[in-house]
Amino acid sequence: MNRRKFLCGSLGASLLTLGCSSSNTATELLSSSSTNSNGIAEDQPIPLNFNENPLGIAPRAQQAINKALPQVWRYPDKARSDLMAGLSQSLSLSNSHLIYGNGSSEVLKMALDALAQTNCQLVMPDPSYGVIIDYAQARGIPVVKVKLDSQWQTDLAEVQAKVEAHKGPSIVYLCNPNNPTGVLLPQSPLNQWLDKASSQLSFIIDEAYVEYVNQPEFVSAVARIQQGQSNIVVCRTFSKIYALAGLRVGYGIAHPTLINAMQAQASIDNANLLGCVAATASLISPEWLELSLKSNHQAKELVYQQLERLGLDYLPSETNFIFHKVTGDSQQYMERMEQAGILVGRPFNHGEGWNRLSIGTPAQMQYFCKTLAKFRQQGWI
């Protein structure tokens, strides 16, 4: 059986197991299985390297895009306003607490620009999502990296020590759950430190994967903004579970005073009309969100089981990716996987012998697991 037949058959069974909301949904996904959208086409590698939602966008989002296409000659002001109103309602915050970003990457830049002060530093764990490093370096802000501890957890005590040792303001960047590890920050120590936010200490909390979190003790930093804390920016995105990575829709959440400072750093007309209408429709598509979560959970379990069978360590993940051991050279592992028709994550600082694997459909992960078993037979992992 070739890869296409294997994946198409497995995808059909997976969708039935997941319990799609309608037979049309399953039919649509299966009919698109010969295209790149589900990573199943024989002539296209399976993309398990950018933490995208392999199910694609919600049907309501697709319909919203189709409906809005004839209006793309117009500026996106109304579409953006509608999206921000929807977010305001879902977060129980006023519009003045929100800012639109051309992806969450722009929100990170606006936050850094708004919080920057004379003699400030940026402190962050390593490895973590690194785009903010480029923004800091462009502004001449020194970046202090704190290596993750032996359990791949953010060493909050050491990050705090770097802040306390600096004679000046500090901006702390924390990705929660962290990328590339998929691990949540310890809630109690985080809460204790966030209580200390001041004019000399501010936080940028990146919650790009928050929709995937399944730990009951987790509390989003948005709760602090709801309570009035003014030195925290929370960054979120529609690129991950909502599958709008190509339309660049992100948003920031902060105290209105800080939002105003960020707005002064925003580019003019940074919104995308199609992105805004798709994001608004995604907010009212709970059934697609549920299906995406079920698919992700089932696919992760398949990988966990295979990693355990092969004796490869991994970090239980609160995201749509898994950080796992590969024992050999990380770059060579990437190249061999690509030769096998699978794209996996790049090497990360301090992560030699480990790989970040994005979670595809259950069918795609079954194929990955078979490939991993073949690698073991070859003595490669």
Side-chain angles (χ1 to χ4, degrees), residues 1-10 42 366-367 370 374:
M1 182 178 290
N2 66 26
R3 184 174 66 170
R4 175 178 290 177
K5 289 181 179 177
F6 173 81
L7 288 172
C8 286
S10 299
E42 253 184 345
Q366 286 176 358
Y367 183 80
K370 286 181 174 290
K374 291 179 181 178

Side-chain angles (χ1 to χ4, degrees), residues 3 7 32-33 35-41 44-47 54 341 364:
R3 184 174 66 170
L7 288 172
S32 67
S33 64
T35 71
N36 190 31
S37 63
N38 284 292
I40 290 179
Q44 296 287 339
I46 300 174
Q364 290 170 343

Side-chain angles (χ1 to χ4, degrees), residues 17-77:
T17 301
L18 291 170
C20 285
S21 56
S22 70
S23 59
N24 287 338
T25 302
T27 302
E28 289 167 6
L29 279 173
L30 287 169
S31 66
S32 67
S33 64
S34 62
T35 71
N36 190 31
S37 63
N38 284 292
I40 290 179
E42 253 184 345
D43 58 346
Q44 296 287 339
I46 300 174
L48 305 180
N49 55 338
F50 283 131
N51 305 340
E52 298 151 332
N53 183 342
L55 300 187
I57 64 175
R60 283 194 185 95
Q62 180 72 65
Q63 293 161 9
I65 290 172
N66 293 340
K67 184 178 179 180
L69 272 173
Q71 301 296 317
V72 294
W73 58 276
R74 303 196 66 185
Y75 284 104
D77 300 68

Side-chain angles (χ1 to χ4, degrees), residues 6-159:
F6 173 81
L7 288 172
C8 286
S10 299
L11 178 61
S14 298
L15 288 171
L16 290 174
T17 301
L18 291 170
C20 285
S21 56
S22 70
S23 59
N24 287 338
T25 302
T27 302
E28 289 167 6
L29 279 173
L30 287 169
S31 66
S32 67
S33 64
S34 62
T35 71
N36 190 31
S37 63
N38 284 292
I40 290 179
E42 253 184 345
D43 58 346
Q44 296 287 339
I46 300 174
L48 305 180
N49 55 338
F50 283 131
N51 305 340
E52 298 151 332
N53 183 342
L55 300 187
I57 64 175
R60 283 194 185 95
Q62 180 72 65
Q63 293 161 9
I65 290 172
N66 293 340
K67 184 178 179 180
L69 272 173
Q71 301 296 317
V72 294
W73 58 276
R74 303 196 66 185
Y75 284 104
D77 300 68
K78 183 180 185 305
R80 179 179 54 205
S81 295
D82 290 345
L83 171 60
M84 303 314 278
L87 287 169
S88 173
Q89 182 176 0
S90 67
L91 295 167
S92 299
L93 286 166
S94 70
N95 280 8
S96 61
H97 287 88
L98 302 170
I99 189 168
Y100 181 95
N102 183 6
S104 61
S105 297
E106 188 188 25
V107 179
L108 290 172
K109 184 179 187 303
M110 292 186 292
L112 184 74
D113 289 343
L115 292 169
Q117 302 179 58
T118 302
N119 193 35
C120 74
Q121 66 172 357
L122 175 68
V123 188
M124 62 181 290
D126 183 37
S128 191
Y129 185 59
V131 70
I132 198 168
I133 297 173
D134 297 331
Y135 299 147
Q137 290 176 340
R139 289 189 62 98
I141 298 174
V143 179
V144 179
K145 300 178 184 179
V146 176
K147 183 180 176 182
L148 301 182
D149 67 20
S150 60
Q151 302 301 311
W152 295 100
Q153 177 59 269
T154 297
D155 190 342
L156 285 176
E158 183 61 21
V159 175

